[in-house]
Amino acid sequence: MAEIDYRAIIEEIKAILEVHDLTRQIGGNTLIVDIDEVPNENSERCPWIGLYLLDWSTPGEEELIGGATPFVTYLTVECVLMDYAIDEGTACKYRDRLISRVKEVIKGNRTLNSKVLITRYIGGVFGTISAQEGYMKSVTLRLQLEVRE
């Protein structure tokens, strides 16, 4: 059975987002991507994405796919996306632009440079983070990553 390098998968998502033309710079600001960090509350660190490995599962019916030893395992990664603006309407537009670009980049590289078999979107939640001045709008994007061990 192959060993899964969970950290390498998360680092690949980060690397892809940091170098892609759609996400490297957004609105003239460099995208900041953190792994397993405390969620951002600093408007000067926007646009910001936090990547978190949430859980894994190997459904019983998947255990024998491909023979006696390979297992299919599903990993869930939560991407917390945030952007900031002085007025609420603009903050919402910036957040929407950020999630649209991130989804487009991931959609264009669903195997994460062959680190996983496939990536699927499985939802997310919208939110607002308090800022001293202005609005920090957030949205989560949950990814289901399929890997074979």
Side-chain angles (χ1 to χ4, degrees):
M1 182 183 315
E3 186 174 299
I4 299 173
D5 188 343
Y6 300 101
R7 181 67 182 203
I9 293 169
I10 297 293
E11 287 174 351
E12 191 64 29
I13 295 169
K14 177 181 176 171
I16 289 167
L17 293 173
E18 287 179 334
V19 301
H20 197 283
D21 289 342
L22 281 176
T23 50
R24 180 179 52 238
Q25 288 248 323
I26 299 178
N29 297 312
T30 301
L31 177 67
I32 298 169
V33 182
D34 290 329
I35 298 173
D36 293 329
E37 294 290 328
V38 174
N40 180 39
E41 294 183 4
N42 182 350
S43 61
E44 294 178 11
R45 295 191 76 227
C46 286
W48 178 85
I49 298 177
L51 301 174
Y52 307 91
L53 187 60
L54 291 186
D55 59 36
W56 66 272
S57 66
T58 302
E61 65 273 8
E62 300 286 339
E63 291 178 2
L64 298 179
I65 286 182
T69 39
F71 288 86
V72 173
T73 295
Y74 300 93
L75 309 176
T76 304
V77 173
E78 183 161 79
C79 308
V80 179
L81 295 78
M82 291 186 190
D83 214 336
Y84 168 83
I86 294 294
D87 67 277
E88 188 172 15
T90 302
C92 289
K93 287 178 187 176
Y94 288 176
R95 175 208 55 213
D96 296 348
R97 174 181 61 191
L98 180 58
I99 192 170
S100 294
R101 290 184 182 196
V102 168
K103 287 174 69 177
E104 190 65 27
V105 168
I106 298 296
K107 186 171 45 174
N109 191 347
R110 293 184 66 196
T111 66
L112 306 177
N113 294 323
S114 300
K115 295 279 187 205
V116 301
L117 298 174
I118 193 80
T119 301
R120 296 178 187 88
Y121 303 123
I122 55 172
V125 179
F126 292 93
T128 301
I129 306 299
S130 297
Q132 284 190 346
E133 288 185 21
Y135 296 86
M136 287 182 67
K137 292 295 184 175
S138 68
V139 63
T140 60
L141 173 62
R142 287 203 174 170
L143 304 175
Q144 182 186 62
L145 311 174
E146 186 176 320
V147 296
R148 182 155 297 168
E149 3 181 3

